[in-house]
Amino acid sequence: MDDDLADMFPKGFGKQAVQVDKAAIYRRLQRADWAQRVAGLAAKASAGPATGSDDSDLSDDSSDDEMTELPISHEIFLKNHTKTVSALSIDPQGTRMATGSFDYDMNLYDFSGMDMRALTPFRTVEPVEAHHIHELGFSHNGEHVLVIPASSQAKLYTRDGEEVAEYVRGDMYLRDMNNTDGHVAEITSGVWHPTDKNVFVTGSLDSTVRVWDANVRRKQRTVIVVKSKASKGNKTRVTAVNWAPDGKRVAGACTDGSLSFWSTTGPHSRPTQTLATAHAAEDWVSSIQFVDDNTFLTRTTGDAGVLKLWDARNFKTPILQRGGLASAVQQANFALSPDRRHIVLGTSGSPQQAGQLHVLDKSDLSTVAALDFPLPQTAAGTTVGPAAMSVVKVVWHAELNQIAAGLSTGSVHLLFSDRLSKGGAMVVAEKAPKKRHIDDEITADIDLDAAAAAAERMMGGTGSGSGENYSQLTAAQRAARERKDPIKSHKPQMPHEGMRSMPARDHVDKNIALSGMRNEDPREALLKYAKIAEEDPMFFKVYEKTQPKKILAEIEDEPEEAEEREAKRRR
């Protein structure tokens, strides 16, 4: 009896830690195909070794062992975009994630601020109105996000979603692109420098590659004009750029099929290495990634979908290549594993097969794992066809050892392993949901009488339930009643006029000379010169001797009008 009574009382005071059953959580988040695979391996182990096993069984075993080293056993997905997720980035520390989409929005997530009940971004920004986003990239210290929208101007935001800079747009009427301070056509790619946190490079459809200092908005640091050999020196479109790991070279791919390197120290008028037939003409090279200082990979989208492995020391033919990786979205990229042994990329769907996430072995570009994702449903409850689903943007974070994949359905899938991964999605999964307190429910504090009075006022009534006219109350009485009003009492105070964000006014004040004159009172501005004009007239000085007195007769008021004006003045 005493034990039962003791169980009714708390064992301690203060905030009690919530116990989380991690095993149950990870069982619930385990991918269905992985659970089936684990069950099959368990059944195979319980049956014992089979006699007369051939080489194919050995190859299956080795493939299973390799898959266990991949962070693909568990999954969390976020559904906050309405269209294709075309940009994806995670900060180097693995605490925040940024996603961009064809719905024009950039969503910012904080892993430590989410739980399984609230998988929502803490900030949503539209960088450029009615323009989708090509690329997003956190800086090396994670303090800034580089935004490459489908326009000619790159933007820089803080990790909290505040705009820092919008870089200059060039003059579209100048033919020589060396003389323009900024791009004049849509930017397709942008990447931070591998070692310098203040430098990034962009490539554009205006046939230029430009190196920028993040602290200088009005002009780029270096301009590289790409001339196409296939089109006899005319312009071509730059689709992808990236830095070599040492930061001394910039690689760029163009729609004429060429692949080139430029030295950052110059000369910039011609590339140090170029291969005019690296890809087929008009193929869209969506991504370039370096394995080391000399080895790199390129990927083309479209129906062909070719992945090629190159060595810059023998820049004539690729070391390896693989086709059949079609993607209908030009922003589709690929990513390397932290140990540089695997490649992860997404493909588009077909009438028979939905888009998949492929993990390839870098040594021979063979498939190690192909992951499926559930098809979304329409508002009517019908399942979307497999051809409509594509895996577009992928990131394999080195610190977290987790894979993030953005889909054409607007969802972002976070893949991880409960054994191999740390932080990131695991922080979200293991966090206990917030307990709702009675103070969190504001409706519990509403004065029902005040609510009835507010309803009466909205309907044109007296405003107080007691029959008195609200319009006849004094200012103090109105303020006292509004404090009890459940609507007005929770309405935030509007900011002061001078504290509102006015980007257009700020731009004019900073960049246009004498723009402050528009804020002056014109009457006061003229009266400053009244005494000077009287002592030294500029325009009427010639009439000082010929017309020393006014020749215009003064208009006198009629007596009746003067009396009426005097009566109005007295009233």
Side-chain angles (χ1 to χ4, degrees):
M1 185 65 181
D2 294 338
D3 295 338
D4 295 337
L5 185 61
D7 293 337
M8 297 174 61
F9 293 94
K11 302 298 188 294
F13 297 95
K15 186 176 181 181
Q16 304 296 317
V18 179
Q19 299 297 327
V20 178
D21 188 355
K22 296 182 180 181
I25 291 174
Y26 289 130
R27 281 196 302 270
R28 187 172 64 254
L29 297 179
Q30 194 173 49
R31 286 180 54 87
D33 52 359
W34 188 269
Q36 294 174 1
R37 176 181 170 277
V38 171
L41 291 176
K44 186 176 180 180
S46 61
T51 58
S53 60
D54 54 9
D55 295 338
S56 61
D57 294 336
L58 295 176
S59 62
D60 292 341
D61 294 340
S62 61
S63 177
D64 289 338
D65 293 340
E66 190 171 3
M67 285 186 64
T68 57
E69 300 303 318
L70 301 175
I72 57 174
S73 59
H74 297 75
E75 176 185 37
I76 290 177
F77 72 94
L78 319 174
K79 184 66 174 72
N80 301 113
H81 287 291
T82 59
K83 295 183 180 179
T84 300
V85 178
S86 56
L88 191 61
S89 180
I90 302 177
D91 70 339
Q93 295 78 20
T95 57
R96 290 196 175 179
M97 179 175 68
T99 62
S101 171
F102 282 5
D103 60 11
Y104 317 136
D105 288 340
M106 175 180 69
N107 288 342
L108 295 173
Y109 299 87
D110 190 336
F111 291 125
S112 60
M114 296 190 298
D115 58 49
M116 294 303 296
R117 291 185 181 180
L119 297 173
T120 55
F122 71 89
R123 188 73 184 271
T124 298
V125 182
E126 186 176 0
V128 181
E129 185 178 0
H131 287 71
H132 64 269
I133 300 173
H134 284 315
E135 292 281 352
L136 293 173
F138 275 95
S139 58
H140 298 303
N141 56 7
E143 294 299 322
H144 294 93
V145 184
L146 176 64
V147 181
I148 305 297
S151 68
S152 58
Q153 294 176 272
K155 284 194 169 186
L156 194 67
Y157 282 80
T158 65
R159 62 187 284 112
D160 296 323
E162 300 293 336
E163 183 177 338
V164 176
E166 181 181 33
Y167 296 93
V168 67
R169 175 169 49 193
D171 188 346
M172 65 181 71
Y173 298 105
L174 292 178
R175 184 170 179 82
D176 188 355
M177 290 293 101
N178 287 293
N179 297 327
T180 61
D181 295 332
H183 291 290
V184 299
E186 181 180 329
I187 304 176
T188 57
S189 181
V191 187
W192 287 101
H193 192 280
T195 57
D196 193 336
K197 66 179 182 180
N198 295 318
V199 177
F200 63 91
V201 64
T202 56
S204 170
L205 299 181
D206 63 3
S207 187
T208 64
V209 176
R210 298 176 189 264
V211 180
W212 300 80
D213 188 330
N215 300 314
V216 180
R217 297 182 299 172
R218 308 299 300 174
K219 188 175 183 180
Q220 71 281 322
R221 177 184 288 185
T222 304
V223 182
I224 301 173
V225 180
V226 184
K227 296 181 179 180
S228 174
K229 293 183 178 180
S231 57
K232 298 181 180 180
N234 292 329
K235 293 182 179 181
T236 183
R237 294 172 291 174
V238 181
T239 61
V241 293
N242 208 341
W243 301 90
D246 55 7
K248 297 180 180 179
R249 293 175 297 168
V250 175
C254 303
T255 53
D256 62 353
S258 63
L259 188 63
S260 304
F261 284 91
W262 294 272
S263 173
T264 55
T265 58
H268 303 123
S269 58
R270 62 180 183 275
T272 57
Q273 288 179 283
T274 185
L275 180 61
T277 58
H279 300 93
E282 298 304 320
D283 277 359
W284 190 274
V285 180
S286 61
S287 183
I288 302 173
Q289 295 287 338
F290 280 83
V291 181
D292 51 42
D293 288 338
N294 296 308
T295 310
F296 62 97
L297 293 127
T298 60
R299 182 196 180 179
T300 61
T301 57
D303 295 334
V306 180
L307 181 69
K308 295 184 179 183
L309 177 64
W310 302 85
D311 191 332
R313 294 165 295 188
N314 185 16
F315 200 43
K316 293 183 179 179
T317 57
I319 303 173
L320 295 170
Q321 71 176 36
R322 175 181 171 176
L325 303 172
S327 178
V329 185
Q330 290 182 342
Q331 287 76 16
N333 69 334
F334 65 91
L336 292 166
S337 63
D339 57 5
R340 296 295 192 266
R341 292 175 50 199
H342 296 97
I343 305 166
V344 59
L345 53 82
T347 58
S348 290
S350 64
Q352 296 79 24
Q353 177 68 51
Q356 293 180 314
L357 182 72
H358 293 265
V359 181
L360 310 180
D361 189 338
K362 186 182 68 69
S363 61
D364 57 1
L365 302 185
S366 61
T367 300
V368 178
L371 307 182
D372 296 314
F373 295 99
L375 294 174
Q377 291 185 344
T378 62
T382 59
T383 304
V384 176
M389 205 275 281
S390 303
V391 181
V392 183
K393 218 69 174 183
V394 293
V395 171
W396 195 328
H397 197 273
E399 187 71 20
L400 303 178
N401 194 20
Q402 297 177 14
I403 299 173
L407 276 60
S408 61
T409 58
S411 61
V412 178
H413 291 250
L414 301 175
L415 303 174
F416 62 96
S417 169
D418 58 342
R419 298 184 301 103
L420 307 174
S421 304
K422 61 178 182 179
M426 299 182 69
V427 173
V428 180
E430 295 177 3
K431 181 180 292 185
K434 180 183 177 182
K435 286 188 175 182
R436 295 188 63 84
H437 192 270
I438 189 172
D439 292 341
D440 296 336
E441 186 63 37
I442 63 172
T443 58
D445 299 330
I446 292 179
D447 186 352
L448 297 181
D449 294 334
E456 273 191 73
R457 289 197 299 274
M458 293 176 64
M459 298 298 294
T462 59
S464 69
S466 60
E468 57 184 329
N469 193 342
Y470 185 75
S471 62
Q472 295 178 355
L473 298 178
T474 64
Q477 290 173 336
R478 291 184 184 183
R481 295 192 179 279
E482 287 177 356
R483 282 195 293 270
K484 297 180 180 180
D485 192 322
I487 298 176
K488 292 186 178 180
S489 61
H490 290 90
K491 183 180 179 181
Q493 186 178 1
M494 299 304 294
H496 189 267
E497 175 68 21
M499 298 181 65
R500 291 182 182 176
S501 177
M502 297 185 178
R505 179 180 295 180
D506 295 342
H507 174 77
V508 171
D509 292 341
K510 292 178 182 178
N511 298 282
I512 299 179
L514 303 178
S515 61
M517 293 176 63
R518 62 188 176 86
N519 297 325
E520 286 188 73
D521 185 353
R523 183 174 179 276
E524 293 181 359
L526 290 174
L527 289 177
K528 289 192 300 185
Y529 303 98
K531 187 176 181 180
I532 300 175
E534 184 178 352
E535 295 175 354
D536 186 18
M538 181 184 300
F539 301 103
F540 301 103
K541 192 173 183 179
V542 67
Y543 300 113
E544 285 183 350
K545 296 181 180 180
T546 59
Q547 296 181 9
K549 296 182 180 180
K550 293 181 180 180
I551 61 174
L552 297 176
E554 295 184 0
I555 300 175
E556 296 183 357
D557 294 332
E558 295 294 332
E560 295 82 0
E561 294 181 358
E563 292 177 0
E564 184 180 353
R565 186 165 53 253
E566 183 65 21
K568 288 183 180 179
R569 187 183 66 79
R570 291 196 191 100
R571 286 200 299 267

